[in-house]
Amino acid sequence: MEPAVIALFVCRSLVCVLGIIGNGALLVSVLKQSGFKTFEIFLAGMASSNLVESLLVDIPDILTELAGLRPERWFCKVLKLMSGMGETGSILFTLLICVFRYQKLRDAATRVSLPTMLDRVRNAWLLSAVSWVVAFSFSLPSALMELPKEDQFVSYGQGNETDSRACSSDLFDCPLLDCSLGRQVYKMAYMLLLNGLPLVIVLVCSFLMVKVLYHNHKALSDQPPAPGPEPRPGRPGRQAAFQRSTLAVLAALFIFQLAWILHLVFQFALDSQEFPYWSHADFFLSASYSTASPYIYAIGNNLFRLKSCF
C-alpha cells in the first residue's frame, strides 16, 4: 500500500473518531437536558444519524479496506442500508433544524410569545419518526437490489496494487457508463428528493435567515441610544443567546450546503469505476458536515459543558 493511501486512511480514521466524539457528546448533552424541546429533539436526531453512519458504516468500511477483506454479500447489503439511513437521516434532521429556526427567527419582534407549529414537542417527535421512516424506506432498495458480480467490479490502483472490492457503502453502484435502468431511476429519485430538494430548501431558508438578521441589525443600529447609565456587563440575555445560536445554525448550514453541492457534482461528474479514490472522496464530502456540525451546534448553543456530558 502506497504512502499516499496510508495517509488517506489515517485522515479518514481521525475524522471518523472526531465525528464519533462530537456527535456522542452532543447526544449526551441533549439527553441530559431537563426537558426536551423541539430544537434539542432535532439535534438529537441529527447526532444519532451521524453516529449510525460513523459507527456502523465508516468504521467497518475502513477496517475492511485496510485488511483487504471480501465480506459476505449480506454484510454489503447491511452496510448500504445503514449508510443510506445515516446519510438521509442527517439531511432530513438538518432540514428540520433549518426550517424550525427560520420560523422562530421570522418576525421575532411580533412572534416572541406566539409558538409555531413545530414548537409542539409532539409534532417534533412525529416529524422525527417520519424522518427515520423516510430514511429507511429510501435506503431499503439499495439493500434489496442484487449486488454486481465480482467480475463486474473494476480493479483500480497503481502498479500491481489493485482494489477490486466487491463491497461498497455506495448506495447506487451506478457507474456513469454502465448502470442499469433500475439503478438509474433509483439514483435519480433519491438524489432529487433527498439531496436536491432539501438542499434547495436549506439554501432558501438560510438566505431568508441572513436577510432577517440583517434587517434586525440595521433596525437596531438606526435607533438612538437609550438615555440612562450604561448596562453593566454580565451574562448575555435571551435575545443575545438566541442570536448566537442562530449564527451557529447558519455556520453549520453553510458547511452543509457546500458539502452537498460538491457531493451532487461529484456524483454526476465522476465515474466510480474510473476515479481511483472514489470511496475516500465520498467519505470526506459527507463527513465534512457530520463531523463539524455537532461542535458548531453545541458551542453555539452552549451545550458542551462538562456537567452536561457527565
Side-chain angles (χ1 to χ4, degrees), residues 25-103:
L26 176 60
L27 184 60
V28 171
S29 299
V30 170
L31 294 177
K32 289 286 186 178
Q33 300 293 315
S34 56
F36 282 114
K37 296 182 180 179
T38 298
F39 187 70
E40 285 77 14
I41 292 174
F42 293 159
L43 281 181
M46 184 206 68
S48 301
S49 301
N50 293 338
L51 284 174
V52 166
E53 189 163 11
S54 295
L55 291 172
L56 301 181
V57 179
D58 294 336
I59 289 181
D61 196 31
I62 291 173
L63 292 177
T64 53
E65 286 192 55
L66 278 175
L69 300 177
R70 290 181 178 271
E72 297 293 334
R73 300 178 79 80
W74 66 264
F75 178 85
C76 300
K77 291 176 178 289
V78 172
L79 196 70
K80 291 179 182 294
L81 178 63
M82 293 296 103
S83 176
M85 289 188 63
E87 180 180 293
T88 308
S90 180
I91 293 173
L92 294 178
F93 281 109
T94 300
L95 177 63
L96 291 174
I97 290 171
C98 178
V99 173
F100 174 69
R101 180 45 55 97
Y102 170 65
Q103 286 186 346

Side-chain angles (χ1 to χ4, degrees), residues 55-260:
L55 291 172
L56 301 181
V57 179
D58 294 336
I59 289 181
D61 196 31
I62 291 173
L63 292 177
T64 53
E65 286 192 55
L66 278 175
L69 300 177
R70 290 181 178 271
E72 297 293 334
R73 300 178 79 80
W74 66 264
F75 178 85
C76 300
K77 291 176 178 289
V78 172
L79 196 70
K80 291 179 182 294
L81 178 63
M82 293 296 103
S83 176
M85 289 188 63
E87 180 180 293
T88 308
S90 180
I91 293 173
L92 294 178
F93 281 109
T94 300
L95 177 63
L96 291 174
I97 290 171
C98 178
V99 173
F100 174 69
R101 180 45 55 97
Y102 170 65
Q103 286 186 346
K104 297 295 290 183
L105 184 63
R106 184 187 56 192
D107 301 329
T110 57
R111 290 174 170 266
V112 66
S113 60
L114 298 178
T116 65
M117 184 189 69
L118 291 179
D119 276 318
R120 298 177 181 176
V121 175
R122 180 182 300 179
N123 292 340
W125 284 116
L126 178 61
L127 285 174
S128 298
V130 170
S131 297
W132 282 113
V133 171
V134 170
F136 176 79
S137 300
F138 273 83
S139 304
L140 187 60
S142 66
L144 296 179
M145 289 181 179
E146 185 64 27
L147 293 174
K149 297 180 180 180
E150 292 190 13
D151 57 3
Q152 293 177 315
F153 278 81
V154 67
S155 295
Y156 52 77
Q158 298 181 6
N160 294 325
E161 293 187 12
T162 62
D163 179 4
S164 56
R165 292 183 305 128
C167 184
S168 170
S169 59
D170 181 26
L171 286 179
F172 311 115
D173 283 327
C174 189
L176 293 179
L177 301 178
D178 184 20
C179 186
S180 64
L181 179 61
R183 292 183 183 277
Q184 289 181 13
V185 172
Y186 172 55
K187 180 177 181 178
M188 293 301 299
Y190 183 96
M191 301 294 284
L192 177 64
L193 296 176
L194 295 179
N195 287 168
L197 182 60
L199 181 59
V200 171
I201 296 175
V202 169
L203 281 167
V204 173
C205 288
S206 299
F207 171 77
L208 294 176
M209 281 193 283
V210 171
K211 184 178 179 181
V212 171
L213 288 176
Y214 172 75
H215 285 299
N216 289 346
H217 176 74
K218 186 176 180 181
L220 289 175
S221 62
D222 291 341
Q223 290 181 356
E230 291 289 333
R232 297 178 60 184
R235 298 180 61 184
R238 293 181 60 183
Q239 185 175 0
F242 179 75
Q243 184 173 1
R244 177 185 175 184
S245 172
T246 302
L247 292 176
V249 170
L250 284 171
L253 292 179
F254 173 77
I255 299 177
F256 173 84
Q257 295 162 40
L258 182 62
W260 287 104

